[in-house]
Amino acid sequence: MGVKGIRTALKVDFDKHASQQAGLHNRWHPDVPAYGKIANNEVVKIECLDWTGGQIKNNDSADDIKNVDLTQIHYLSGPFDIETAEPGDVLLVEIQDVQPFEDRPWGFTGIFSPQNGGGFLDELYPEPAKAIWDFEGIFCSSRHIPHVRFAGLIHPGIMGCAPSAEVLAEWNRREGELIAANTTNRDVAKPPEPQNVHAGFAAEAIKAKVGQEGARTIPGRPEHGGNCDIKNLSRGSKVYLPVHVPGAKFSVGDLHFSQGDGEISFCGAIEMAGIITLKFTVIKDGMSKMAMKSPIFHPGPVEPQFGPGRYLTFEGFSVDENGKQHYLDATVAYRQTCLRVIEYLRRYGYNDYQIYLLLSSAPVQGHIAGLVDIPNACTTLGVPMDIFDFDIRPEAEVVRRDMGSCAFAGK
Amino acid sequence: MGVKGIRTALKVDFDKHASQQAGLHNRWHPDVPAYGKIANNEVVKIECLDWTGGQIKNNDSADDIKNVDLTQIHYLSGPFDIETAEPGDVLLVEIQDVQPFEDRPWGFTGIFSPQNGGGFLDELYPEPAKAIWDFEGIFCSSRHIPHVRFAGLIHPGIMGCAPSAEVLAEWNRREGELIAANTTNRDVAKPPEPQNVHAGFAAEAIKAKVGQEGARTIPGRPEHGGNCDIKNLSRGSKVYLPVHVPGAKFSVGDLHFSQGDGEISFCGAIEMAGIITLKFTVIKDGMSKMAMKSPIFHPGPVEPQFGPGRYLTFEGFSVDENGKQHYLDATVAYRQTCLRVIEYLRRYGYNDYQIYLLLSSAPVQGHIAGLVDIPNACTTLGVPMDIFDFDIRPEAEVVRRDMGSCAFAGK
Amino acid sequence: MGVKGIRTALKVDFDKHASQQAGLHNRWHPDVPAYGKIANNEVVKIECLDWTGGQIKNNDSADDIKNVDLTQIHYLSGPFDIETAEPGDVLLVEIQDVQPFEDRPWGFTGIFSPQNGGGFLDELYPEPAKAIWDFEGIFCSSRHIPHVRFAGLIHPGIMGCAPSAEVLAEWNRREGELIAANTTNRDVAKPPEPQNVHAGFAAEAIKAKVGQEGARTIPGRPEHGGNCDIKNLSRGSKVYLPVHVPGAKFSVGDLHFSQGDGEISFCGAIEMAGIITLKFTVIKDGMSKMAMKSPIFHPGPVEPQFGPGRYLTFEGFSVDENGKQHYLDATVAYRQTCLRVIEYLRRYGYNDYQIYLLLSSAPVQGHIAGLVDIPNACTTLGVPMDIFDFDIRPEAEVVRRDMGSCAFAGK
Amino acid sequence: MGVKGIRTALKVDFDKHASQQAGLHNRWHPDVPAYGKIANNEVVKIECLDWTGGQIKNNDSADDIKNVDLTQIHYLSGPFDIETAEPGDVLLVEIQDVQPFEDRPWGFTGIFSPQNGGGFLDELYPEPAKAIWDFEGIFCSSRHIPHVRFAGLIHPGIMGCAPSAEVLAEWNRREGELIAANTTNRDVAKPPEPQNVHAGFAAEAIKAKVGQEGARTIPGRPEHGGNCDIKNLSRGSKVYLPVHVPGAKFSVGDLHFSQGDGEISFCGAIEMAGIITLKFTVIKDGMSKMAMKSPIFHPGPVEPQFGPGRYLTFEGFSVDENGKQHYLDATVAYRQTCLRVIEYLRRYGYNDYQIYLLLSSAPVQGHIAGLVDIPNACTTLGVPMDIFDFDIRPEAEVVRRDMGSCAFAGK
């Protein structure tokens, strides 16, 4: 009777640029070649770079955030062929563990400039900013947001199987239509981007094709999941993913030490490089058996638990900050909810960008409360009070502290 | 040392039409006269009719749902003058208890027709339908949705203080603009409605004014809360409400035995008549001290707890059922998420309307997962598996049962 | 389609002495006549006096505690014949609700003198003492233990079916042997007690027999449950009880608004009169099917939840306060654990009796940690920090407050 | 701005016998020399062997359990001098992480023979037995107890500071008295044991003294904690330990992947080698400030959470299996509670030893329910139903499975 260690299906190399590593890629396309094979029912470890491929540094300037090259992102690990997986199957992925690298116990949260990435509140908070988080076992804290400390609800931001050519064409069609119809001055979606495309070890012709057709990894998409940024997909969760191509061509990346519901600052989670341990099981003909159009998941029993009575919860409605009434718009309502938290917490001495970063990264609970009472959507945002080392209950005295600052970019 | 029972500040009369009861009203307006006075720090019981004032019956036809008169709703209890409350204060309301009437241990969930009320999924599910729920202590079950039973997370759908004249004018302005700009064939908001206005014991002139100017109680609104339909505002919660008029003129109603996040079918919660026990505390100058623009709340420690590992969670994205791509639209995403649950659960024998009713009323968790990854918003909906008496995990065998039907309207 | 209210199977009368009420009794004996019948699968409400039958008053003296007549206790409601129940069956009792009487929103916790009842720490704390608790919806607080407030985990202390003659004889045998072997100066068990026996409406001969043979209701017993004082048997729980006599002869009483694990002061829970709603289901031949020798239960999903990180937890070992080493004695260890909490909390200004009362009544978690590491048993006691309105974490400053006092007896 | 990895204060060597490693020791004595120094406020990693020092193998025979040499145990890592710590201080130890070694993803649970170690139920279950557990990320499962899988609540069984000479003398006095008074045929405590003593790199004379006087590590003790076997001392917990000697001389070991309350089979937890990450903070004069006689702790917010409604809970009373009545004896009651679970679970096909092993290692909740109702103590044991892959609720059908067997010793 032996003991078998777990195979590492992909190692990353911190001394080599992400674009030079054959096990990484940064577009969704059926032709990105499989980096390796994983057996049905096998457990493997997969190493991942942070989503930017190492562009962001552990320092006190947000210049790197300001100048981040978004054509490169996200560097995903994979794709992997899962033996026996065929289109129409469901790939059950059990997240057995996620860890930062032992010698890289830190991560970052960023606020991007509207000119380069933007974020949920970028009209109000256009400055690039950054917070570095230090990991202390299961906890994290930041010199850029003092008096806060919490346990990570660690998870991958991105998991998914490759689209088929048909699925990819559909993505390009519908997102193209949105782009074509855009009359605003902001990007509403990202079309295929040949620049800085990385297609693993694909030959040049394939790589060019991936650049021209490949879907950006930024949005999650209903047909395969992708960049869902679901904070509860943590250790112990099972995820059921539709399979669209032979072998599934599964990829994973964008690991987060923690994230709040909504990941509001876009680079909002605590982004990190790390190692994920996954078990793969193929459910034959699962899409039809489970009537599945989008991924579903079953969280594990282990989460930071604050108790229902330990949240301070804010309400927001679909009336924007200019007094304009929107029709049942949960997005507008959630933005207002975030602003209500910022107004409340700034009384303790934090600047608004610190709170914006905090809301993006701490395990805040963003709920859709009411979505039918015309014209107002109502959303709530629950802030766990135990992440602060002072008392934020409304009945406690407000003491204004020197909270320092998050990192900003030089002018 | 004596024991003082709790004063009942308002009794409702089930033998008299709601419109004839002086302690009820159905519009928000500063001139609705205060029905009674409540001392600062006092605890009182307040009785409430169901939101329709008794229009819906405990039977097996949805004709009452089809023909419901929405000009009457919601019948609220109050308003009450809270002693010492002044504009700019915050009214702290502690929900000490909510109960159905002992001799009315039942409630209802309804799906309205698009011609009369509508709901979140009304384009797909236009038939009026109804489920009656029987209360068994802390649990409820329905002959119209068999094999389901859960503990209520009992709460008031509506609480709020009266708007000032200025606040009311602002509501009418912005909602009027939305109505004026409406080019769709559906109502986007409800303007003041003189028909069936009820302003408590107001004299005729005041009543007419309330009818002409008074805000409908349907939407929650940022300045005072109102119809927030927040399922976690349950027993033990503290709510902090802005005060806009002298005495606050607090009203409450629309009691729910249970509700899912979003209250998706509009009459989606388990609506009931009942008794709420509230404690009122005035926080002088609270709006400025707490930097408050919208209500905040602090839930109590008692909730049905299923454990993180007991939810089956569905994902949805802002691509609608016609394949159209929407831009970061959480409302579209949540609608898709609901549809994913319907597709999954119908395999067990439920019809779609039963599931639509269930999603509205059971304590499902609707989260905003990601709201920044252009162009897709991602929302999730967690269904507590323990509310079913059979196993809905993906790995369990699907057995199709005779699930009967919810109530429909006669043709 | 009608709505049926729930039948009240027993009403108590506060104007009549408990001993004069036919639906009450205070001994376990198969011959106590059944007060009423309950159908299989029926839901009924049953009213209960507090366990002393009203001897303890809502005042500020513990004279009533000092002079309590323990020959009368506990007054139980019942017994009830459950239709179809036969020996060998299991009676499934679902606790659908427990409530105090609306016009009696208070309860009491008492410390008995060693001469009359005693308690877990009576050698150290021999004075009779009392705390009165006021109920505020789901919460309670006490003028005798200020700065504390918590939600009740409301439950019946006693539930059980009558013993058969054989089971009763076994009880009397084994407890009689313990009494006979007693060489200490304290009561180790209570033999049958003819004085003040109450056997419902039994004729005199039966009543005399019950007095001579009937088991006291003080201890829980493995064969039927009885006075288990399990704080988690709250609303929504299902209890599976062995049936020993035809009709089961089910009784219930000793309602608690809240209790800590161990109920350490004997009259330790928050004792109250109230109404319990129960559903009864007979499981034929259940004892053999379930291999059942003692009751088992399945708690409901609704409990006050403080989160694992909100408990301050104390350790105790089986070395007593005189330095004597005991062998794996969890009882000694738990007594030491309680003393550790008293030493910690008295720094805030409470007197020891206040803390003793608090530990008995608040939802503290008493765990058996290690019970195999000879010679020391280790137990833990977790105190939920959120029941205090000040910060009791070790890192918070200790501020000594004027905490008043619990009630004591006059000298 | 740099990133500092965490220092490993002690590495163990799997190729060298534990007794030859200078950083380990197996007795409590103030003269065991400090292996290293740790700064106040420093975070370090400390490697630990399993408690037997590697005597138990990953195979299918319990011969190693039968023949285990208990004079060697426990091999602890340390002691460490914590800078600035003085007698009377409190050492705050934050458990930031605990992990198995990556290449040793397994652990064991053992049942010892009464002739060599024994256990809580050894009179009924005298055979040596063993289960090997495989770790899969946060989960574990065992080929020896099929159909069970659960998330680890990983923790150290032993932590403590060295006793002073006075404290050690007191231990030897009181445990010696117990041994001297023993009239049973079983060990009631373990006196100092010169054989196989290991005192780190101590010189021979010191080592001999440690052998003659040093306290065995088997029991936890009130003055310093030690072998508490508290399952909730998991990641994120803070433990407050009394300091008795200059530098504290802190030791740690006996890591558990999981354990049930009581650790009933003595070698009951899932024993493993691993790495613990600790932060040390000295609280000057803390014992007097905190009125501390025994350690206290503050658990972290992260635990496997099953929800209150997911436990099946068994009751036990202080009447032993021979019908003998004991006086308020929680130890007897807990033994009966364990037997009730065994009787219930064996219906599914498990043999009694498998269940005995399972109860020791799974996160079962052992509560002291009532401890004052003479003569019966009542304890409860809650079994989380979600650890089984079949339905163990009483209402589910009982299907007897082939459950294989745990490992036994050859005859």
Side-chain angles (χ1 to χ4, degrees), chain D residues 46 100 261 358 362:
Chain D
I46 299 172
D261 273 336
L358 180 62

Side-chain angles (χ1 to χ4, degrees), chain A residues 272-289:
Chain A
M272 67 172 203
I275 307 160
I276 188 164
T277 307
L278 300 172
K279 178 174 184 178
F280 295 90
T281 309
V282 174
I283 302 173
K284 295 311 293 178
D285 199 25
M287 285 181 66
S288 141
K289 276 186 199 155

